[in-house]
Amino acid sequence: MKIFIETYGCQMNVSDSGKIVQLFADLNYQLTTESRAADLIIINTCSVREKPELKLFSALGRYIPLKRKRPELVIAVGGCVAQQWGEQLLERCPGLDIVFGTHQLDTLPELVSSVRDSRKAVSSTAFRMAPGGLEVMARPQPQAVSAMVTIMQGCDNFCSYCIVPHVRGREYSRPSPAIIEEVSRLADAGIKEVMLLGQNVNSYGLKEPGEISFAQLLGRVNEIEGIERIRFTTSHPKDMSDELIAAFASLSKLCPSLHLPLQAGSDTVLKRMGRRYTAASYLEKVAKLREIVPDVALTTDIIVGFPGESEDDFQQTLKMLEKVGYDQIYSFKYSSRPGTKAADYEDMISDDEKRERLARCQALQDSISQRLLKAQVGKVSEVLVTGPSKRGAGEWSGRTRESRIVNFSKPSSPEVEIVVGGLYKVSIIKALKHSLKGEVVADGNP
Ligand code: SAH
Ligand code: SF4
Ligand code: F3S
């Protein structure tokens, strides 16, 4: 049997897709990249904005007709759109067999066999105390250097624009021993870098009596032999504790890069977004962090055109980009999500206005990103090699501890052997648009 899977949305979804593939690999399914050859097609969806949500319907338009030639084909939709629409999706999309929610990942094999037996479409989207499937451990890809480990799921913050708490359920932290075991297994399989995942990792463990804090969890992961680098995402600025900031100084493997979603620079907008911090308190946390880790590279998420955002409010966002100096931003036009508080707000911003603000925001950021990349030229960075460079020409590709992409060549002499997963000292010689170019320094062996 063959399984084909298409994934939209965040890293959590990418990680979930890995778990689904693992569940079916245990049942002797093989992964295929050819939808026409598949016996089971899975679409793992995202509803954070309208655009990714719409991708589901064009995907179904491609895959449902395949059933004419392959009547045994089973098509399943999972993830956040599945959670949101449930059975209604089955009504709207004849030919779709299974809708499975974000807490039902582990029941998918049963749902598939029930559809095969009865040929009746099913929907299963109940929330559970602990989301099912969190303990399924995907085997890393051969040659993989990094792996993602989900440490918590769900969100209790209910930012007024956001659908995530509605579709992922309440915050749930996995027991720390299970996380440590998973990271140890990954290290044994040759993984060098772990990315700890959750919608709001800073509040890890706070709801579970007796559980360790997120900073303590990082401390435990730091002790695991074989792991060289630790990253995590996403952090909510309001929960960025002093204990976590201090961890950046005390934990040798914790990388100096942090994704800290700002969303907007205006306090009025932040308040209406329900973010529970101000521009000033955000800057204070950044200053504290930079005091401890001066070279920390920051990235962020920005929403432009939130309902009621004035030109002056928007200018405050641009000011924050200048003040913080992010390496990179992920910026989006506000998209109204059914069932969220902000969907009922007045003063919606026109699409033209949003587009124009987004373009200005991105143009400013491009110049900031370029300035920061250029400032790297002349420095020597530690690079973890992820593989040969896509541009070929005998070059290798990897990332610095700050998560900047570096393509580099070897010196002709002395001979240095480059291995995937190895750490090398690389001298940065040039800044390109989104990456750096470098050369391994003479004593660059791991
Ligand atoms: N848990 C993370 C990520 C949430 S979703 C966090 O708290 O930051 C990823 C990003 O999508 C958000 O940071 C936000 O910038 C964006 N986003 C969420 N809802 C949105 C909406 N309705 N319209 C536009 N962007 C949105
Ligand atoms: Fe959404 Fe806010 Fe939760 Fe992030 S913290 S997932 S933006 S509700
Ligand atoms: Fe999208 Fe769900 Fe992630 S809405 S961003 S896939 S949590």
Side-chain angles (χ1 to χ4, degrees), residues 68-94:
R68 274 186 234 130
K69 280 199 183 145
R70 290 176 77 91
E72 297 305 308
L73 170 65
V74 174
I75 302 180
V77 171
C80 296
V81 183
Q83 185 63 46
Q84 194 182 2
W85 297 113
E87 273 204 25
Q88 289 179 43
L89 265 185
L90 292 179
E91 287 156 26
R92 178 167 169 185
C93 311

Side-chain angles (χ1 to χ4, degrees), residues 240-252:
M240 213 25 225
S241 65
D242 287 348
E243 189 196 12
L244 179 57
I245 293 178
F248 278 94
S250 61
L251 302 178
S252 57

